[in-house]
């Protein structure tokens, strides 16, 4: 979805003049290309969600659709299958939601949401021990490295975004979701004491479905999305500091490991004011791209329907629901009751909000657009506001909250992760297949 919205913004980049917000500067570094690619994988890989750089150029790879964790050498030769689905393998890759987290020293955590476990992997790809996740209800967010910021290790703690507590009711036989909050906590849990606290809050995009029941008992799901939300981003730096990148005025709030809080000044950005005509064009562009995406992926609707059915009622065999539910009998008071069986859901329809609900200034970034490199910099994938070379442009922000350079990532690539010494790992995707490339920052 982010790639689709990025494409829509790029197509309208020249549609409106730039206009600085009050008190901000538009002086920006020139865009420069990423350095040369120095190595490329040859083996067949599925959808790689994240990687972990190790000493000597070795790499742990989380092949999510292949359901395996691989250890590769500096030439991308596979040295070892660390975890997979082979029967009898004690290092099992359980579900399809799992993530690698840089742990103490050069060790790595492999978090598997389905088994509620965390494998501790040493730099040689050997599993040293298995830990349980600190809190079962947070397993999905700990393992969300491929679909969001995921989790990070910092001085004895795991830091991650909290899980939305969306309450669902079944009223007159039809599931109804409650209001979704527009902010979420960034949570920190101590791995020894299991004490949980909140580091800060981030503004998130909201897309809540409306569910209706047809005469034959099926569920129709309509999802309304704002294609240009003003959101916040966050990341944990190698020294353990947590950075909050604010989307409304583009500045960074910092929480240091000792608890000290500080804020950096607003950063320069090419702000673009959106007229009513610009907003209408953007909404129309997103609708067109959604229609094209649905036509090109006919199985997508069925997959979404299955996911919603599972979320609303658990697995077909009656598994536990994946959101907190409260069942209300028809015409009666709220009550208890066990898990609701997965209903039959038609292909969800994605609707776009009216143009009037878009912000007056185009925000600087979308959700899940920020990473920290191995040298203590933040990389923020910015939304284009004026014509730029083909590819994706990242703002590189130092520890003072200053944009020091703007780096162009080649078209068709996304950043998987970073290594020491200015190494960047890129993913080149073709459907569900991934090629990993290692490049230099300069």
């Amino acid at each position: 979805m982010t790639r689709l919205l990025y494409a829509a913004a790029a197509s309208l980049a020249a549609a409106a003049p730039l206009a600085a917000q009050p008190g901000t500067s538009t002086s920006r570094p020139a865009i420069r290309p990423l350095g040369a690619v120095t190595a490329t994988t040859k083996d067949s890989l599925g959808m790689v969600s994240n990687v972990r750089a190790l000493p000597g150029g070795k790499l742990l790879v989380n092949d999510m659709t292949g359901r395996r964790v691989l250890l590769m050498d500096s030439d991308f030769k596979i040295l070892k299958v660390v975890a997979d689905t082979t029967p009898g393998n004690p290092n099992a890759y359980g579900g399809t939601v799992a993530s690698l987290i840089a742990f103490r020293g050069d060790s790595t955590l492999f978090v598997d949401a389905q088994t509620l476990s965390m494998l501790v992997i040493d730099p040689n790809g050997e599993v040293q021990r298995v830990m349980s996740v600190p809190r079962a209800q947070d397993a999905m967010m700990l393992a969300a490295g491929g679909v969001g910021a995921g989790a990070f290790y910092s001085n004895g703690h795991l830091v991650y975004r909290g899980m939305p507590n969306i309450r669902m009711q079944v009223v007159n036989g039809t599931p109804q979701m409650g209001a979704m909050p527009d902010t979420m906590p960034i949570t920190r849990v101590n791995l020894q004491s299991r004490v949980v606290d909140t580091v800060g809050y981030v503004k998130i995009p909201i897309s809540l479905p409306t569910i209706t029941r047809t005469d034959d008992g099926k569920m129709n799901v309509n999802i309304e999305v704002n294609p240009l939300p003003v959101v916040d981003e966050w990341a944990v730096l190698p020294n353990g500091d947590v950075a909050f990148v604010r989307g409304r005025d583009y500045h960074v709030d910092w929480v240091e490991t000792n608890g000290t809080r500080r804020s950096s000044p607003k950063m320069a950005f090419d702000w673009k004011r959106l007229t009513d005509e610009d907003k209408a064009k953007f909404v129309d562009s997103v609708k067109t791209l959604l229609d094209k995406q649905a036509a090109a992926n006919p199985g997508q609707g069925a997959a979404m329907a299955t996911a919603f059915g599972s979320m609303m009622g658990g697995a077909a065999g009656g598994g536990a629901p994946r959101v907190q539910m409260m069942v209300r009998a028809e015409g009666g008071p709220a009550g208890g009751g066990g898990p609701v069986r997965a209903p039959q859901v038609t292909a969800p329809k994605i609707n776009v909000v009216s143009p009037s609900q878009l912000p007056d200034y185009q925000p600087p970034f979308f959700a899940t657009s920020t990473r920290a490199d191995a040298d203590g910099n933040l990389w923020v994938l910015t939304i284009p506001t004026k014509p730029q070379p083909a590819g994706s442009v990242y703002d590189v922000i130092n520890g003072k909250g200053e944009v020091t350079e703007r780096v162009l990532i080649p078209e068709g690539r996304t950043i998987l992760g970073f290594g020491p010494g200015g190494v960047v790992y890129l993913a080149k995707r073709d459907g569900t297949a991934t090629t990993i490339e290692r490049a230099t920052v300069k």
Side-chain angles (χ1 to χ4, degrees):
M1 188 65 176
T2 298
R3 289 194 296 270
L4 181 148
L5 296 177
Y6 190 88
S11 68
L12 298 176
L18 303 181
Q21 288 186 337
T24 63
S25 168
T26 57
S27 176
R28 306 261 286 153
I31 297 173
R32 69 161 180 85
L34 185 70
V37 171
T38 59
T40 303
T41 53
K42 302 296 189 297
D43 292 282
S44 176
L45 299 171
M47 184 69 77
V48 175
S49 58
N50 63 338
V51 298
R52 159 71 155 134
L54 297 171
K58 291 188 293 186
L59 191 69
L60 278 174
V61 177
N62 181 20
D63 184 349
M64 190 168 60
T65 54
R67 295 174 66 188
R68 56 183 183 164
V69 176
L70 305 173
L71 176 65
M72 295 183 172
D73 65 13
S74 58
D75 294 321
F76 286 148
K77 177 184 177 181
I78 296 177
L79 298 176
K80 182 180 297 185
V81 177
V82 179
D84 65 4
T85 58
T86 302
N89 185 353
N91 305 324
Y93 196 120
T96 56
V97 181
S99 183
L100 298 170
I101 301 173
F103 195 42
R104 295 189 185 97
D106 295 321
S107 63
T108 305
L109 291 179
F110 173 64
V111 183
D112 189 323
Q114 179 170 305
T115 62
L116 305 180
S117 65
M118 301 190 297
L119 305 181
V120 181
I121 306 170
D122 71 15
N124 296 315
E126 296 291 335
V127 176
Q128 297 299 314
R129 59 192 175 105
V130 181
M131 301 190 296
S132 62
V133 297
R135 302 197 307 172
Q137 65 266 38
D138 295 333
M140 290 291 289
M141 301 309 291
L142 287 172
V147 293
F152 302 86
Y153 175 75
S154 172
N155 298 308
H157 298 79
L158 285 180
V159 183
Y160 55 96
R161 206 195 82 178
M163 173 71 88
N165 184 19
I166 305 173
R167 186 174 291 270
M168 179 183 287
Q169 303 180 39
V170 178
V171 181
N172 297 328
T174 302
Q176 299 295 332
M177 286 192 175
M180 181 176 178
D182 62 357
T183 59
M184 288 299 300
I186 301 304
T187 300
R188 181 175 57 189
V189 57
N190 186 298
L191 289 177
Q192 296 298 320
S193 66
R194 304 299 171 106
V195 172
V196 178
D197 65 348
T198 299
V199 183
Y201 291 85
V202 290
K203 189 173 179 61
I204 63 172
I206 298 176
S207 56
L208 201 63
T210 300
I211 306 170
T212 57
R213 181 185 288 273
T214 62
D215 292 338
D216 59 1
K218 295 180 180 179
M219 300 293 180
N220 285 335
V221 180
N222 290 280
I223 308 170
E224 187 175 70
V225 299
N226 184 331
L228 206 61
V230 178
V231 297
D232 298 328
E233 276 287 85
W234 69 283
V236 178
L237 276 65
N239 66 356
D241 292 353
V242 183
F244 296 86
V245 188
R246 305 303 182 185
R248 182 160 298 280
D249 60 1
Y250 205 34
H251 81 275
V252 183
D253 292 330
W254 309 85
V255 180
E256 300 176 5
T257 55
N258 61 6
T260 300
R261 296 177 182 268
R262 58 187 174 89
S263 295
S264 302
K266 297 177 183 179
M267 294 174 286
F269 188 73
D270 298 323
W271 294 100
K272 185 201 308 188
R273 186 171 182 85
L274 299 177
T275 65
D276 291 344
E277 182 181 1
D278 298 327
K279 296 177 183 180
K281 286 181 178 179
F282 188 82
V283 167
D284 288 343
S285 178
V286 171
K287 289 179 178 177
T288 299
L289 288 172
L290 284 170
D291 290 341
K292 289 182 178 178
Q293 184 185 55
N297 300 277
Q300 177 177 277
M304 291 176 64
T306 300
F308 262 94
S310 176
M311 181 185 72
M312 288 190 292
R322 296 181 184 172
V323 292
Q324 183 179 354
M325 298 189 70
M326 180 175 68
V327 178
R328 184 185 299 277
E330 184 171 348
V340 178
R341 294 274 180 173
Q344 186 175 1
V345 181
T346 60
K349 180 177 177 55
I350 298 178
N351 301 308
V352 182
V353 299
S354 65
S356 62
Q357 293 180 259
L358 299 189
D360 291 333
Y361 284 89
Q362 181 173 301
F365 50 79
F366 291 117
T368 69
S369 62
T370 299
R371 294 178 177 271
D373 67 18
D375 299 313
N377 300 302
L378 297 171
W379 288 58
V380 179
L381 174 59
T382 54
I383 303 174
T385 56
K386 59 183 179 180
Q388 65 182 37
S392 305
V393 175
Y394 281 78
D395 277 3
V396 181
I397 304 169
N398 65 16
K400 298 178 181 179
E402 302 166 335
V403 178
T404 59
E405 54 185 343
R406 300 169 69 202
V407 179
L408 177 68
I409 303 299
E411 189 173 16
R413 274 75 168 174
T414 57
I415 293 179
L416 274 177
F418 298 88
V423 171
V424 183
Y425 292 99
L426 305 174
K428 179 183 178 183
R429 294 194 172 101
D430 181 9
T432 57
T434 302
T435 299
I436 301 176
E437 299 174 339
R438 184 176 64 240
T440 57
V441 172
K442 294 183 178 180

